[in-house]
Amino acid sequence: MTPPGAGGAGARWPRLLVAGTVLVVLLAAGMRLAFMLSPAGRFDGDEAVTGIMAQRILGGELYAFFAGQTYMGAFEQYLQAAVLAVAPDTHTALRVVPFVIATATAAAVVVLGRRVTGSTALALLAGALFALGPYYNVVKGVRSHGAYASAALAVVLVAVLALAVDPRARRSRWTAAALGIACGFALWESTLTAYVLIPAVLWGLGSARGALRRLLPPALAGAVVGAAPLIVHRAIHGPFAASGRPPQPHSEPGARLENLLRPVLDQFLGARELGGVTPVTGWIPPALVSALALAALGAAAWSRRRGLRDLVLLRRGERRPVDLLIAAALVCPPIYILSDYTWFTGEPRYIFTLYPVLAVLLAAAVGAVRPRALAAAVACLLVALVGGLSAAQLAEAIDADGYPPIQAGGVVRTEHADEVADALEAERVTAVYADYWVAYPLQYAAGDRLAVSAFADQRFPELEAAVAASREPPAYVAPEGDGAAAIAASLRDTGTRFRTRRVEGYVLFLDLSERRTPREIGQPR
């Protein structure tokens, strides 16, 4: 499992690395395409928000962050706008950007794995593990949910560049500047990159000792360039600009730690279905998977304790590249526990940026197995297990007709949003109220033909104002099922007359006799 030495075999090794990396990229692309083309990959409300942003960017509007908030940078949305400028305005076109970034990240993981392990075989193993799973890594990274894909790529670039800092190198200033740009960009895109940013900065400072006067200025200048949108936004709106989101539900640090250990870690490792309710299979207890992962991390931290000490003390000493990634995993729990935003347990979104770290650490652990034949067997078992669990979860999601957002009270068949928009236009409707998961896919499909206001978690204030100011009572749209039944019952309870029309799995509530706001019919605001 180690690279060949000098000579003929060694000369052929780069070609193996290139060929293997191409295979890793193809694996990553195939796994993500399988998800995107299935019912599980149905376009959703968050993705529609990025689509509306891209449309508006083409119209001259600027965004620093995901619409309606002051965090999660909008870099991907500018790339999406560029795609929409030359391609049909569809959700498939929107996903081109995260798809390309996610597959590029798989290749970048190979580079990081090579730098950390010194082995081409282990580097390719890390890339394959990242390409195939865990399931949440596949589905979240390829969805257009804002900055998740770019944040994962950013942490890999930060780690690779930090490990490349060498004051003796000819282009050390350029490396320092590139590291600064990557760090600033990562911080703008997502605070979730902090897990890797902190140990990477410590590594870079330790490497630059004795040359800080020469290397720190280009690094700081690069950080300013990379974080420019964040800096400009804070200069305009204040250093402590409100997040733009409602207050987070109350949670205690102890409860957040308990949530991290179960079910979030189980979900992150692919051993538990999203929502944290059931294990993926009956023969792999999620608690056992998480316990083994924590035990392995503890063993790694203990075996590398001197290297971790030198990393923290900014000394070269006994530190090794793997220490940076072990430190990233160790930094995660304190940050997770201290954040008020980590109360949600439906999916492991708050530790998503650690997937490249997980892949490389698993590969490094395989490299420690002896003899080599056993290591090769363990590597094959890991790849089969990760890919198999991802495939099992994808099959479950397909059987369930996707992953319906329960807030909308039914399966939101966004593939029919165009037909719903056409039907509303034919009914001469110009203003609509709908659940978040219905509202923004409908708005994205309708363009300027309609103004759609979400019941809650509004992202575009001008849309809410346009619906509130409409001359005719706004229509309501809901998916068939509990959501539509609840709206019908509430309208009747308020004495409001209406007409319904069904279109491709949706119920349209038309010709309301009186204007009724969502609050008046019991919908959240």
Side-chain angles (χ1 to χ4, degrees):
M1 299 295 287
T2 55
R12 291 194 298 271
W13 204 257
R15 272 183 283 178
L16 174 61
L17 180 62
V18 172
T21 302
V22 171
L23 179 59
V24 163
V25 169
L26 291 175
L27 280 174
M31 196 71 180
R32 284 150 183 80
L33 280 173
F35 166 74
M36 290 167 60
L37 298 176
S38 75
R42 185 175 281 123
F43 191 61
D44 69 18
D46 283 337
E47 293 185 278
V49 169
T50 67
I52 297 168
M53 291 171 65
Q55 290 171 336
R56 295 185 172 200
I57 288 169
L58 287 176
E61 196 167 340
L62 299 179
Y63 291 92
F65 302 99
F66 192 79
Q69 59 191 46
T70 58
Y71 57 93
M72 197 157 66
F75 173 74
E76 289 183 34
Q77 283 64 70
Y78 287 93
L79 296 182
Q80 289 173 316
V83 171
L84 295 189
V86 297
D89 193 346
T90 65
H91 68 266
T92 301
L94 283 177
R95 284 182 173 174
V96 166
V97 169
F99 174 80
V100 170
I101 293 174
T103 51
T105 303
V109 167
V110 174
V111 176
L112 178 60
R114 185 76 170 85
R115 182 67 180 86
V116 169
T117 67
S119 163
T120 294
L122 293 176
L124 294 175
L125 172 62
L129 293 173
F130 181 87
L132 293 174
Y135 179 70
Y136 187 72
N137 178 38
V138 173
V139 305
K140 193 69 170 180
V142 81
R143 281 195 185 277
S144 175
H145 278 177
Y148 287 92
S150 52
L153 178 58
V155 299
V156 180
L157 296 178
V158 165
V160 168
L161 289 167
L163 294 172
V165 172
D166 181 357
R168 299 165 299 178
R170 235 174 90 187
R171 298 176 179 169
S172 57
R173 285 191 179 91
W174 288 105
T175 302
L179 175 60
I181 292 171
C183 287
F185 172 77
L187 190 60
W188 167 45
E189 281 294 275
S190 176
T191 53
L192 300 177
T193 59
Y195 307 135
V196 175
L197 280 179
I198 292 171
V201 168
L202 292 176
W203 183 283
L205 290 172
S207 297
R209 284 187 66 172
L212 282 175
R213 288 186 179 180
R214 180 165 56 86
L215 298 184
L216 194 56
L220 292 176
V224 170
V225 171
L230 172 62
I231 294 170
V232 170
H233 183 275
R234 294 297 189 259
I236 294 172
H237 299 282
F240 305 105
S243 69
R245 310 315 311 136
Q248 300 300 301
H250 176 72
S251 62
E252 296 292 339
R256 294 195 287 269
L257 174 59
E258 186 177 345
N259 291 339
L260 174 61
L261 294 175
R262 186 173 302 165
V264 172
L265 182 58
D266 301 340
Q267 296 165 348
F268 175 76
L269 295 171
R272 190 180 292 274
E273 290 183 7
L274 301 183
V277 179
T278 57
V280 175
T281 70
W283 53 275
I284 302 182
L288 175 61
V289 175
S290 294
L292 289 173
L294 291 172
L297 177 61
W302 177 254
S303 68
R304 294 300 312 153
R305 60 191 182 279
R306 292 187 177 87
L308 292 169
R309 175 203 62 196
D310 289 342
L311 173 65
V312 172
L313 296 177
L314 307 183
R315 301 190 309 213
R316 295 185 182 89
E318 298 183 49
R319 68 177 193 174
R320 298 292 181 271
V322 73
D323 298 333
L324 191 159
L325 302 187
I326 295 172
L330 295 175
V331 162
C332 171
I335 295 176
Y336 193 98
I337 293 166
L338 291 173
S339 173
D340 290 336
Y341 283 79
T342 55
W343 58 272
F344 183 66
T345 60
E347 58 186 33
R349 64 177 66 163
Y350 307 112
I351 53 177
F352 177 81
T353 51
L354 286 178
Y355 276 120
V357 173
L358 174 66
V360 177
L361 285 180
L362 283 173
V366 170
V369 175
R370 295 292 182 271
R372 291 175 61 182
L374 179 59
V378 171
C380 293
L381 178 63
L382 262 179
V383 170
L385 184 62
V386 171
L389 288 176
S390 293
Q393 284 190 271
L394 179 58
E396 284 288 330
I398 292 172
D399 288 344
D401 197 19
Y403 182 64
I406 59 173
Q407 296 93 332
V411 178
V412 183
R413 303 186 184 283
T414 51
E415 62 269 29
H416 298 303
D418 286 318
E419 291 97 314
V420 176
D422 292 341
L424 289 166
E425 184 180 30
E427 295 280 357
R428 300 182 183 275
V429 172
T430 60
V432 176
Y433 282 120
D435 180 272
Y436 179 95
W437 302 100
V438 175
Y440 291 124
L442 180 56
Q443 183 67 67
Y444 175 66
D448 57 7
R449 294 180 290 165
L450 295 172
V452 188
S453 174
F455 294 159
D457 203 14
Q458 293 91 353
R459 298 287 175 174
F460 303 96
E462 61 277 14
L463 291 176
E464 327 307 329
V467 173
S470 64
R471 291 193 298 177
E472 298 295 327
Y476 279 81
V477 176
E480 290 181 337
D482 293 342
I487 291 174
S490 297
L491 288 173
R492 291 190 188 100
D493 289 344
T494 59
T496 307
R497 298 186 303 278
F498 59 90
R499 175 171 62 89
T500 61
R501 176 178 172 184
R502 282 172 166 74
V503 179
E504 299 291 351
Y506 292 83
V507 179
L508 283 52
F509 295 85
L510 307 166
D511 300 336
L512 273 63
S513 60
E514 297 179 64
R515 178 183 294 270
R516 296 296 182 190
T517 66
R519 185 187 298 275
E520 290 176 314
I521 64 169
Q523 298 298 327
R525 293 299 287 171

